[in-house]
Amino acid sequence: AHQIFVDGCFNADPHPGNILAQCSDGPATGQREAKAVLLDFGLAKTLGESERIGFAKIVYAAQHSDYQFLLEGFEQIGLVLNRENPMRDMQGIQLLMSDTQAASSSRALYRRYGDAARLRRKARKQVQKANNGKQKTLERKNPVDAWPGSLMFFFRTTGLLRGLCSTLDVEQKYLSIMAGKAERALKERFPEVVATPPPLFYASHSDDNGSGV
């Protein structure tokens, strides 16, 4: 988290073979302490300033359900979508960075998410069939117009770390840990903005009076 959001340069290959534990006696207590050691920076990613802040906004947004920061973050890292569904985008990011669980629990979680996605596809096909295929806007297509390479490194790193936690049956507040460093990066750059409470709801459309619904 510190490497990504504060340093802007991170090891994108944190698989178990590249992580060691350096143990020593604590200087104050004399008890054994362990420090993580990352090996092999052959696969590393350096983020530009805009990308670094963009990723920080996305993770901060997921922690606080801040849709404005989510969309700003997408734009800053170069992610271009051809649809407007920030609520589903938020759900996807929050799922990706949800608390780590044991392997069996993780499989059940992603199975439920997959089942929900299949139900949505089935409902979409039923609507298309009812309209005799005339509503082309309902046809499924790739929602991404531009996919930045840095996002692939970010997803890879997240997947490896979460997979390691699941394999070891370690439960961690993954999003909270990442969001702590993301918030630090944003406070250093935009202290007055981050201090403002985020919006609770996304105004998806307006009624006749102009109020958000």
Side-chain angles (χ1 to χ4, degrees):
H2 186 96
Q3 289 181 9
I4 295 172
F5 306 116
V6 180
D7 296 337
C9 180
F10 61 97
N11 186 319
D13 197 24
H15 62 75
N18 281 345
I19 302 176
L20 298 179
Q22 184 180 49
C23 299
S24 62
D25 294 330
T29 63
Q31 296 180 345
R32 297 288 283 176
E33 296 180 352
K35 179 187 301 183
V37 179
L38 281 175
L39 306 178
D40 188 3
F41 276 74
L43 184 59
K45 178 61 178 176
T46 299
L47 301 174
E49 182 66 7
S50 180
E51 285 182 309
R52 181 178 71 87
I53 296 301
F55 277 110
K57 285 183 176 181
I58 291 171
V59 173
Y60 177 88
Q63 175 76 347
H64 298 281
S65 296
D66 188 328
Y67 291 89
Q68 178 181 341
F69 262 20
L70 180 72
L71 297 178
E72 289 180 5
F74 284 171
E75 182 178 358
Q76 285 190 241
I77 68 172
L79 177 63
V80 180
L81 303 176
N82 54 40
R83 60 172 171 80
E84 293 184 5
N85 195 341
M87 297 188 73
R88 182 171 296 179
D89 297 335
M90 178 70 77
Q91 291 172 354
I93 295 296
Q94 290 174 338
L95 175 67
L96 176 72
M97 309 195 72
S98 58
D99 297 348
T100 65
Q101 305 175 42
S104 58
S105 299
S106 292
R107 285 193 293 268
L109 173 64
Y110 282 93
R111 189 160 50 246
R112 289 196 299 271
Y113 186 81
D115 290 342
R118 283 188 288 273
L119 287 174
R120 288 195 298 269
R121 289 195 295 269
K122 183 178 180 180
R124 186 184 299 110
K125 289 180 180 179
Q126 290 175 341
V127 172
Q128 288 178 318
K129 184 176 180 180
N131 287 276
N132 297 318
K134 294 180 180 180
Q135 280 188 281
K136 295 183 179 180
T137 56
L138 293 176
E139 294 179 0
R140 181 172 177 81
K141 64 177 182 178
N142 186 349
V144 180
D145 279 342
W147 189 276
S150 57
L151 188 58
M152 296 300 297
F153 284 97
F154 181 81
F155 282 164
R156 173 184 171 81
T157 301
T158 293
L160 286 172
L161 291 175
R162 289 178 54 81
L164 178 61
C165 289
S166 293
T167 300
L168 298 176
D169 290 342
V170 174
E171 296 183 357
Q172 285 285 352
K173 299 289 185 181
Y174 188 84
L175 178 56
S176 296
I177 294 172
M178 300 294 280
K181 295 299 183 180
E183 184 171 349
R184 171 182 166 179
L186 293 173
K187 281 184 175 179
E188 292 175 353
R189 185 74 178 272
F190 312 109
E192 71 288 348
V193 175
V194 178
T196 303
L200 296 178
F201 301 99
Y202 171 71
S204 58
H205 64 275
S206 298
D207 58 21
D208 294 337
N209 296 322
S211 59
V213 179

